[in-house]
Amino acid sequence: MLPKCSPKSPCSPHFSSPISSPNKTKTPQLNSIERKNFFNSLHLQPYFFLPNHNRLWLLLFIISLQIIILLMARAVPLTHRRTHFPSPFSASHYLLQKSANISSTFFSSSHHLKSANISVSPTVSPSDQCSSGRIFVYNLPAVFNEELLDNCAELDPWHSRCQALSNDGFGRKATGLSGVVPKDLIPAWYWTDQFAMEIIYHNRILNHKCRTMEPDSATAFYIPFYAGLAVGKYLWFNYSSKDRDSYCDMILKWVQDQPYWNSSDGWNHFMTMGRITWDFRRSKNEDWGSGCIYMPGMRNITRLLIERNAWDYFDVGVPYPTGFHPRSDSDVLQWQDFVRNRDRKTLFCFAGAPRGTVKDDFRGLLLSHCKNASGLCRAVDCAGSRCSNGTSAILETFLDSDFCLQPRGDSFTRRSIFDCMVAGSIPVFFWHRTAYLQYQWFLPSNPKSYSVFIHRNEVKNGTSIKSVLESYSKEEVRTMREKVIEYIPKLVYAKPEKGLESMKDAFDVAIDGVLKRIKEQQQPGYKWK
C-alpha cells in the first residue's frame, strides 16, 4: 500500500532534495544514409513513365507516398499525440514506477516535460490537466499546521475546536436532516465550521492533479500554514500584539529562507487564510487582530480568504465552507434537481440576530420587515450561537423561500450567503461589498442574473422589501433561481480528496484562478491591477 497524503503526513520531500526526472527516450530519427537513400528513391528513372510501365510506376508512387506520411506522423511533437498522464503521486510511488521501468515504455519530449515527475493514466492529457502550470507544496515544520490541529482544544478560549475541525475539516456529520434533504444525500452533509477552509484546502491540494514533487517544474508554491487557526486563540482577552503576530512572523522568516522564494520575491507563492482579511490587518498595536498582511514578506503572496479587501490585488475572496460536501457528480445533479423542484411556500426569509447594542441596527430593521410581511416572510432568530455553522432549521427555511435577505454580517460578508444559494434561494443584498466585490471567480458576472440589490438607505427611508420582491414575475424568479442552481458546484467543497469527476467545485475554481494569475505575472511587461 502506498502512503496517503494528509496534512498530518505530507508525502512530499523537502524541496531541497528533489526527485530526479525519469529517463527520457528520444524520438527515433532517420540517419543521414537512410534519408539520402529515401530521397534518392524519389528520383525515378525516365523509363518508368513509358506506357509499358504504368502499373509499376503507380505501385512505387503509392509506396513512396505511404513512407512520406509515416515519417511525417513520427515527426509530430509528443504534446499533440494522445499520450495521457495523471496527477503527480508520492515520492515512493514514483520510485516504485522507476524501478519497474514503467516510464521507459513512453516517449517524452525534453522541451515539454522538463524535470516532470510523471506517471501514466488513461484519461486526460497533461495539456488539458495542467496547462496553467504545476504546484509545489512546502513541507512545513509541524508547528505551522499539524501541531495546531493536535492542540485543537486550545484554539478557542471558550471551548474545544476538535469536533469542528474533525473529518479533514468538514466537522461533525449533520444530524436532524431526515425529511429535510433526500435520504441518500444526508451522508454528504456536515456541520462544517466557517473557519475550516485551511484544512480543507491543504487536504485537497496534497492530492491535486497538478501537484509536482519537483520545485524546478513548479509554477506556483503553496504554503500550508493555518494562519486563521494560529491567530484565533490570540484575538480575545489581553493577548499582546506580539502574541497575535508571532506565528506569522515565524512563517515568513522560514519561507524567506527558501531558494524558490528568493527567485521570485514571493510572487509565485500563495496560501489560504481561513478568516476574514480584517483579522490580519491590524495597523496599530492596540487594535484588533494580527498585523500579518502588513508584514513586508506578505506583500507579494496571493492570499485566499473568505472575505477580501476589495482594493488589495493579492486578496482573493473564496466561498465560505457550507455543510454540503458532494461525494460525486451524481450528488450535485441530484441536489440541483431537488432544489429546482422544491415547492417554495414563502416569498422571502431572514436568518440572523438583531444587534441590540448597535445604533440603527439594520438587522433589526430587516426582522421588522419580515414580521410585517403578512405571512410572506419567515425568520429564524439566531440570537446567541443557535445558528452557528448551520442548522436544519436554517436549511429548511432557505429551501422553502424564493428569496433570502443577506445584509452584512459582523464584517461585510457572511456565510449565510452560501447556505442560502446552495439551497437554491435567491440572495437579496444591501451592500455591494457583501458579494459583488468579493467572489468574482465564483459568481455570475451579471449580478442581476442571480440576485436582487436594494440599497440599505432605501430600506431605511421606507422602501418595502416585500413590495420590491413581489414585483418580480414567476418567470423572472424561475430564471434567477436557475442561474443560482447552475453555480452551486462552484460554491461547495467536494468530499473526495481528488474532487469531483467532471465538475469543478470551489476548490478547483480557486486553484485554477491562482495558477492562471501567477502564470500571467510571469509574462514580460505584466502589471498587476
Side-chain angles (χ1 to χ4, degrees):
M1 293 292 291
L2 298 176
K4 181 179 179 183
C5 299
S6 72
K8 289 191 177 185
S9 301
C11 61
S12 66
H14 192 277
F15 62 87
S16 62
S17 302
I19 302 172
S20 60
S21 303
N23 293 330
K24 299 179 176 62
T25 305
K26 295 184 179 179
T27 305
Q29 301 290 331
L30 292 173
N31 60 39
S32 58
I33 296 177
E34 290 172 328
R35 287 197 299 268
K36 182 176 179 180
N37 290 340
F38 169 70
F39 285 109
N40 284 344
S41 70
L42 296 180
H43 294 285
L44 303 176
Q45 299 300 322
Y47 64 81
F48 285 144
F49 293 91
L50 295 176
N52 292 338
H53 297 85
N54 282 346
R55 292 182 181 178
L56 180 58
W57 175 84
L58 181 61
L59 178 61
L60 289 174
F61 177 78
I62 292 173
I63 293 173
S64 300
L65 186 61
Q66 289 176 334
I67 293 173
I68 292 172
I69 292 172
L70 177 62
L71 289 174
M72 290 177 64
R74 297 186 70 173
V76 174
L78 284 177
T79 52
H80 297 291
R81 301 188 191 178
R82 297 182 63 82
T83 304
H84 302 295
F85 305 92
S87 55
F89 286 85
S90 66
S92 57
H93 187 179
Y94 167 70
L95 291 173
L96 285 172
Q97 285 184 315
K98 186 173 181 181
S99 65
N101 292 321
I102 293 175
S103 62
S104 65
T105 63
F106 292 88
F107 297 121
S108 63
S109 164
S110 61
H111 175 69
H112 294 287
L113 302 179
K114 181 180 180 182
S115 301
N117 177 20
I118 294 173
S119 54
V120 180
S121 165
T123 53
V124 185
S125 68
S127 59
D128 291 334
Q129 281 192 332
C130 305
S131 59
S132 295
R134 295 185 176 274
I135 305 165
F136 181 79
V137 182
Y138 282 114
N139 187 8
L140 298 183
V143 66
F144 296 118
N145 43 46
E146 182 181 343
E147 288 183 9
L148 289 167
L149 287 182
D150 289 343
N151 297 311
C152 53
E154 303 172 4
L155 295 177
D156 189 299
W158 293 282
H159 50 76
S160 170
R161 300 265 284 141
C162 294
Q163 277 196 339
L165 303 178
S166 63
N167 289 323
D168 295 332
F170 294 133
R172 296 179 296 115
K173 287 185 174 291
T175 56
L177 294 183
S178 179
V180 179
V181 305
K183 183 178 180 180
D184 51 347
L185 288 182
I186 291 177
W189 282 85
Y190 296 76
W191 296 139
T192 303
D193 190 90
Q194 64 178 338
F195 298 136
M197 63 165 284
E198 294 158 339
I199 306 167
I200 294 171
Y201 273 74
H202 191 190
N203 278 305
R204 284 286 299 278
I205 210 163
L206 288 175
N207 295 279
H208 194 268
K209 61 183 179 293
C210 295
R211 182 188 177 196
T212 179
M213 303 298 180
E214 297 200 18
D216 285 333
S217 67
T219 301
F221 292 78
Y222 178 62
I223 308 169
F225 167 46
Y226 297 168
L229 299 187
V231 76
K233 68 177 180 180
Y234 298 114
L235 293 175
W236 317 98
F237 303 122
N238 294 319
Y239 286 105
S240 68
S241 59
K242 185 176 181 179
D243 292 329
R244 286 174 275 162
D245 290 346
S246 58
Y247 274 93
C248 191
D249 186 57
M250 286 191 295
I251 188 63
L252 289 176
K253 287 178 180 177
W254 186 91
V255 78
Q256 286 176 306
D257 283 339
Q258 314 311 316
Y260 294 96
W261 168 278
N262 294 323
S263 65
S264 70
D265 199 25
W267 276 86
N268 54 4
H269 285 56
F270 73 104
M271 64 189 299
T272 49
M273 304 180 79
R275 301 183 68 94
I276 63 174
T277 190
W278 315 107
D279 288 341
F280 306 99
R281 289 181 177 272
R282 189 193 72 248
S283 55
K284 298 178 181 178
N285 285 344
E286 62 271 20
D287 289 345
W288 168 271
S290 158
C292 186
I293 287 178
Y294 292 135
M295 294 182 183
M298 284 291 289
R299 178 59 272 174
N300 296 334
I301 297 176
T302 293
R303 307 173 288 268
L304 304 181
L305 304 119
I306 51 178
E307 177 176 327
R308 67 185 288 255
N309 177 354
W311 290 273
D312 189 332
Y313 167 82
F314 293 92
D315 274 10
V316 175
V318 301
Y320 282 74
T322 68
F324 182 44
H325 301 288
R327 301 157 295 178
S328 63
D329 287 6
S330 177
D331 276 3
V332 177
L333 294 172
Q334 185 180 353
W335 180 255
Q336 287 175 312
D337 283 341
F338 173 69
V339 299
R340 179 182 292 113
N341 298 314
R342 179 79 175 188
D343 181 19
R344 298 176 188 267
K345 303 172 183 177
T346 306
L347 178 63
F348 66 107
C349 66
F350 175 60
R355 297 288 194 264
T357 58
V358 176
K359 183 179 179 181
D360 298 325
D361 175 34
F362 191 72
R363 291 187 179 201
L365 183 58
L366 293 185
L367 284 171
S368 297
H369 274 258
C370 192
K371 291 176 182 177
N372 297 331
S374 304
L376 293 178
C377 180
R378 180 173 172 179
V380 178
D381 189 344
C382 292
S385 59
R386 283 182 290 174
C387 298
S388 177
N389 298 319
T391 65
S392 57
I394 290 179
L395 177 58
E396 192 168 14
T397 299
F398 288 151
L399 287 169
D400 284 345
S401 304
D402 283 328
F403 299 92
C404 57
L405 307 185
Q406 296 297 334
R408 60 172 289 170
D410 293 324
S411 59
F412 286 102
T413 65
R414 61 199 302 246
R415 168 186 159 147
S416 180
I417 299 166
F418 300 98
D419 291 330
C420 154
M421 295 183 68
V422 167
S425 190
I426 300 163
V428 181
F429 297 120
F430 306 90
W431 278 262
H432 285 98
R433 289 172 69 180
T434 300
Y436 303 150
L437 301 180
Q438 288 289 337
Y439 309 107
Q440 292 94 329
W441 292 359
F442 306 88
L443 298 175
S445 57
N446 179 9
K448 293 182 179 179
S449 68
Y450 75 97
S451 67
V452 174
F453 183 78
I454 309 172
H455 198 282
R456 57 197 175 278
N457 289 340
E458 294 177 7
V459 178
K460 292 176 181 178
N461 291 332
T463 295
S464 167
I465 295 174
K466 177 175 79 76
S467 297
V468 172
L469 300 181
E470 283 181 322
S471 69
Y472 287 87
S473 69
K474 289 184 178 180
E475 180 59 25
E476 288 174 319
V477 171
R478 187 198 66 78
T479 301
M480 294 166 72
R481 174 169 298 111
E482 195 57 42
K483 182 60 69 173
V484 170
I485 292 171
E486 175 189 341
Y487 274 72
I488 286 176
K490 294 184 177 182
L491 308 180
V492 299
Y493 295 97
K495 183 68 170 71
E497 291 177 334
K498 292 184 179 295
L500 301 173
E501 297 95 332
S502 63
M503 298 178 179
K504 293 194 174 187
D505 70 344
F507 171 85
D508 292 320
V509 174
I511 299 304
D512 286 353
V514 168
L515 283 170
K516 288 176 183 176
R517 69 151 44 187
I518 289 177
K519 192 171 183 180
E520 287 175 355
Q521 288 167 182
Q522 295 173 344
Q523 302 304 312
Y526 177 82
K527 293 183 179 180
W528 54 272
K529 300 177 181 179

